[in-house]
Amino acid sequence: MKPMIAEPSEEQPPERAIWLRAELERLNHAYYVRDDPAVPDAEYDRLFDALRRLEDAHPDLVTPDSPTQRVGGMAIAEFASVAHSVPMLSLNNGFLEEDVIAFDRRVSDALEKLRERRDASQPDARAESAETSETSEPAGDVRPPVDYACELKFDGLAMSLRYERGELVRGATRGDGATGEDVTDNIRTVRAIPLRLKGKNPPAVLEVRGEVLMFKRDFEKLNARQRDAGEREFANPRNAAAGSLRQLDSKITARRPLSFFAYGIGALEGAAMPATHAALLEWYETLGIPVCRERQVVQGAPGMLTFFHDVGARRAALPYDIDGVVYKVNRVAEQVALGFVSRAPRFALAHKFPAQEALTVLLGIDVQVGRTGAITPVARLAPVFVGGATVTNATLHNADEIARKDILIGDTVIVRRAGDVIPEVVGAIPDRRPADARAFVMPVQCPVCGSAIERLPDEAVSRCTGGLFCPAQRKQALWHFAQRRALDIDGLGDKIVDQLVEQQLVRTPADLFKLGFGTLAALERFADKSAQNLLDSLAHARATTLPRFIFALGIRQVGESTAKELARHFGNLDALMRADVTQLLAVRDVGPVVAESLARFFAEAHNVEVIEQLRAAGVHWQEGPGIETAPPGRLAGKTVVLTGTLPTLSRDDAKALLEAAGAKVAGSVSAKTHYVVAGADAGSKLVKAETLGVRILDEAAMQQLLNGEIE
C-alpha cells in the first residue's frame, strides 16, 4: 500500500515532517489495527529514524501527537490515582448454554415489561397496538427477538482512554472500577492507540473503553528477545501486556509490542450517542480508534450461541488470546432502560470458554519414552478441571525447562490446556512451596527397556540408547530400517509396521526375517500377492552393503554420509563395533558428538544382540580391511559417472560398489571423466560422453571392471 503523495525531500522540513507523521501513523494502523503490515520492519524503522532526525534538527516541528513522542519519558515513583467519571463495571459471566438462554429470557422479559408499562402510560399507543393486533394474523407469542451485538472477550488489561477535543489526554486502568491508575505516559507509547482522533469535529470529551493486549506473534518476538538477553520470559500474552503497561519507566513500555481494541464508552460530551452498540464501534473506526473485526449483530439466544461456537472453532487460529465472547443488547436506549444490577450491567453477558489455566499440586514426575527414544518428563497432578477436561498429567518438555521454570515436586503449579493441545505445566507458585518440596532427577536407565539414557552435549533432550531393542521405539526403528536408503524393504509401510508391532509379531528388525507367508497373509488388507511380494523384498534385502546396514541401525547423529565414511574407514562392522571414541574421532567428518553416540550405541548389549540376530537371519554385505590396511582400490584415482537405469542395481548400490573400489563417482561428465556407466533412458550425460570420447560401460562391463577382468 503506497502513500498517497510522494515523500517530500529533506529541503522541505515542514512538509516532510507532516508527511512522515502521517505515513508512520498509517503504517501503525495497518500493523496494529488491521493486522496487515504494509511494509517490512526495516522500512518502518527508516521512516521513524528520518522523522526523529528531522525533529532533532528542527525542534519547532515537534508535535504532541508525533510518533516520536511514543518512546517514553522519565521513570516515575508510582502511578497516580484516577477517578473514573463513568465507572468501569465488570460483566456477569456465563459458562453454559443454559446461562445464555436464561440471559436472553431475562432481557426479553424485562423489555416486554417496559413496553407494557410504556403502553399503559400512553393510551394512544395502546390503542394503536390493539388495532394492529386485530388486523394481524394470529401468531402466538409475537414478542420480537432481541438484537445483540456480539464481540470477543480479550485476555488483556482493561483500559479507559480520555480524549478532549480529539487529543489523548489520559489513559487509566480499570482498578476497582471507580478508581484506576494513571498510565498516560505508558499509553502514549502504544502505537495502536491514536494520539489524536481523525475528523474535523471531534467530541469535546470522549472516553473510550477497551483492552490493551499483545498479539501472539509479538509475544513470541518479545520472549525471544528476553531469552537472548538472558532475562525471564513471560508466561502468556496477558501477563506480558499487563506487565508492560504497568512499568514505572515508560521507555520500557515503548519497547513492548502492545495493541489495543475498543469495545465500549464512558463519558461523551459534544456529540450524539450512536443509537446502537454496533454503530458506536463503526463510529470509532471513522475516528481511527482500533476496533476488532470479529464482531456481529445477531438475534436471540440461537444467534448468540452460533457466534460462540463459530468463534470457539477458530479460537486457536486467532492472532490473539481470548477467553470468551461478550453479548450486549445492541440498542443503546434498551441498554439504558435495562440498567445495572450491583456492579454489572443487566444488558451484557460474558460467555466464557472453559478456563485454559488452573492451579493444582504437582504430585510427582515420571518419564515417557517417545518413538525416537526421547525421554520426556511428565507431571503427575492432583486432578484439575481445565480447558474443558479433567487433567491429571501434563508435559514438562525436558529437564532444562523444569530447572528454568524452577519447578519442584510438591509445588502448586499453573497448568495450561488450550483446545486439543497437550496440557503443560507453565510454572510454579513459589509462595506456596511446601518445606518438603524436592527437585526432579533424570533417571539413568530407560524405564521401558533398561538401556542407558544419554544426553548429547548439543541437545536439550535425553534419549534411550536401546534403539533396536526398546519397545517404545519399535515402530520408528523398523520404519527407519526398512526405508529405501537403508535396507530398502519394499512393501513395509507405516500401516504394516503398526500391525506387526501391535500384534506383537515383530520386536526387533531381526524378527522381520522370521515372518512367514501365513502370518503376513493374515494381516488386515494384505492379500496373498502382497504377502509374497514382501517376502521377496525381505529376501532381496538380506544382501546389502555395509554403509546401508550402518545407516539402517538408526544410530543417533549417523546419517548416510557418516555411515559411508565409517564403512570406508573401518571396512568391516566388527572393527567399527570395537572402536573407542579416540578411534572413532579418526574417521573423516566424525566429531565428538557423533563419536560418543556411536560408542554408547555399540556399548549397549541389547543393540549388539539384535545385530547378531540380523547376521544369523542371513543379512550380509561385502567387507574389507579398512582404509588404513587395505591396498588402494582398483579404481583409485578414476572418476566415474552414472546415468540412466541399470538392469539389476540401483543407483545407490552401483555408487557404493564403485566407491568401495576407490573410484570417485561424479555427477557430471567432463574431459577428466574416465568411465560413464549407462543404463536405460540415459540422457544428456551419455551424449556428452560420446562427444568427448569417454569410455562407456553397461552394468555387465562395470562388474567386469570391478572384478579386474577389463581395464
Side-chain angles (χ1 to χ4, degrees), residues 342-618:
S342 183
R343 298 174 64 93
R346 288 192 178 95
F347 56 80
L349 179 75
H351 188 180
K352 303 191 73 172
F353 295 119
Q356 292 186 305
E357 291 186 350
L359 295 181
T360 189
V361 176
L362 176 61
L363 303 177
I365 300 177
D366 297 336
V367 295
Q368 288 182 345
V369 187
R371 61 183 299 178
T372 62
I375 306 294
T376 303
V378 177
R380 304 305 179 196
L381 307 167
V384 60
F385 191 79
V386 58
T390 298
V391 172
T392 56
N393 303 321
T395 182
L396 287 162
H397 300 294
N398 56 59
D400 285 353
E401 278 291 283
I402 295 175
R404 185 182 68 79
K405 294 177 179 177
D406 187 27
I407 296 172
L408 302 183
I409 298 171
D411 274 346
T412 295
V413 294
I414 304 168
V415 180
R416 180 176 178 83
R417 180 182 183 273
D420 295 329
V421 177
I422 297 172
E424 68 168 333
V425 175
V426 176
I429 308 297
D431 293 345
R432 300 190 185 185
R433 177 165 291 164
D436 59 349
R438 64 190 190 279
F440 165 73
V441 178
M442 179 67 71
V444 297
Q445 289 185 309
C446 173
V448 176
C449 71
S451 300
I453 289 176
E454 69 170 1
R455 178 179 173 182
L456 298 179
D458 62 341
E459 292 191 349
V461 178
S462 300
R463 297 182 186 275
C464 166
T465 57
L468 295 179
F469 174 80
C470 183
Q473 302 177 64
R474 281 177 185 165
K475 292 181 181 180
Q476 174 70 13
L478 289 169
W479 177 86
H480 179 83
F481 186 83
Q483 68 167 289
R484 186 174 66 85
R485 296 186 180 276
L487 259 67
D488 192 18
I489 304 175
D490 190 34
L492 194 65
D494 289 351
K495 294 182 180 179
I496 303 304
V497 168
D498 288 346
Q499 291 188 68
L500 292 173
V501 172
E502 290 164 6
Q503 296 182 31
Q504 300 184 358
L505 299 172
V506 172
R507 296 183 304 109
T508 72
D511 292 336
L512 291 170
F513 299 96
K514 302 174 186 178
L515 294 170
F517 179 85
T519 300
L520 292 174
L523 295 177
E524 184 181 353
R525 298 180 181 177
F526 224 65
D528 290 354
K529 184 177 180 180
S530 300
Q532 188 58 54
N533 287 343
L534 181 53
L535 288 176
D536 293 343
S537 184
L538 285 165
H540 183 266
R542 282 186 169 91
T544 186
T545 65
L546 182 55
R548 279 179 172 270
F549 186 78
I550 295 172
F551 176 63
L553 295 177
I555 306 169
R556 289 286 303 167
Q557 308 290 335
V558 177
E560 290 179 79
S561 177
T562 303
K564 288 179 181 179
E565 289 299 328
L566 291 167
R568 187 178 71 87
H569 185 91
F570 291 102
N572 64 85
L573 185 62
D574 290 332
L576 170 60
M577 293 171 67
R578 290 193 302 268
D580 58 23
V581 171
T582 301
Q583 293 170 312
L584 290 166
L585 286 172
V587 180
R588 186 171 65 183
D589 296 335
V590 171
V593 173
V594 178
E596 289 286 351
S597 182
L598 283 160
R600 286 178 180 271
F601 182 88
F602 290 120
E604 191 60 59
H606 299 315
N607 294 331
V608 175
E609 180 183 351
V610 174
I611 291 172
E612 294 308 315
Q613 290 174 359
L614 285 165
R615 281 172 155 170

Side-chain angles (χ1 to χ4, degrees), residues 226-339:
Q226 295 289 106
R227 285 193 298 272
D228 292 343
E231 298 178 6
R232 187 183 184 94
E233 295 180 44
F234 292 95
N236 52 56
R238 187 201 182 283
N239 289 359
S244 299
L245 197 63
R246 300 195 72 257
Q247 292 289 328
L248 296 178
D249 186 349
S250 59
K251 291 181 180 178
I252 297 176
T253 308
R255 295 195 294 268
R256 303 284 173 80
L258 297 173
S259 296
F260 176 82
F261 282 133
Y263 55 64
I265 190 169
L268 176 63
E269 299 175 14
M273 176 70 76
T276 65
H277 183 74
L280 170 67
L281 300 185
E282 291 171 1
W283 180 46
Y284 278 169
E285 288 186 306
T286 67
L287 297 175
I289 299 169
V291 178
C292 180
R293 287 171 289 180
E294 295 282 347
R295 63 186 195 272
Q296 185 178 356
V297 176
V298 303
Q299 291 188 320
M304 289 188 284
L305 293 174
T306 297
F307 181 82
F308 177 83
H309 292 303
D310 173 63
V311 170
R314 297 183 291 109
R315 181 185 185 188
L318 293 174
Y320 32 68
D321 280 346
I322 61 172
D323 55 9
V325 301
V326 175
Y327 312 124
K328 298 174 182 174
V329 173
N330 191 37
R331 292 189 61 79
V332 173
E334 293 179 344
Q335 292 183 8
V336 173
L338 289 166

Side-chain angles (χ1 to χ4, degrees), residues 35 213-218 294 315-321:
D35 191 25
L213 68 157
M214 190 174 291
F215 278 45
K216 294 175 183 177
R217 66 174 182 225
D218 296 325
E294 295 282 347
R315 181 185 185 188
L318 293 174
Y320 32 68
D321 280 346

Side-chain angles (χ1 to χ4, degrees), residues 69-110:
Q69 302 307 299
R70 295 182 184 272
V71 297
M74 298 293 293
I76 60 175
E78 60 183 7
F79 295 113
S81 296
V82 174
H84 297 301
S85 56
V86 176
M88 294 184 69
L89 303 180
S90 57
L91 299 177
N92 288 323
N93 292 326
F95 298 94
L96 306 174
E97 290 193 0
E98 290 81 356
D99 297 331
V100 178
I101 295 170
F103 166 69
D104 178 48
R105 185 182 303 114
R106 289 194 303 272
V107 168
S108 182
D109 288 347

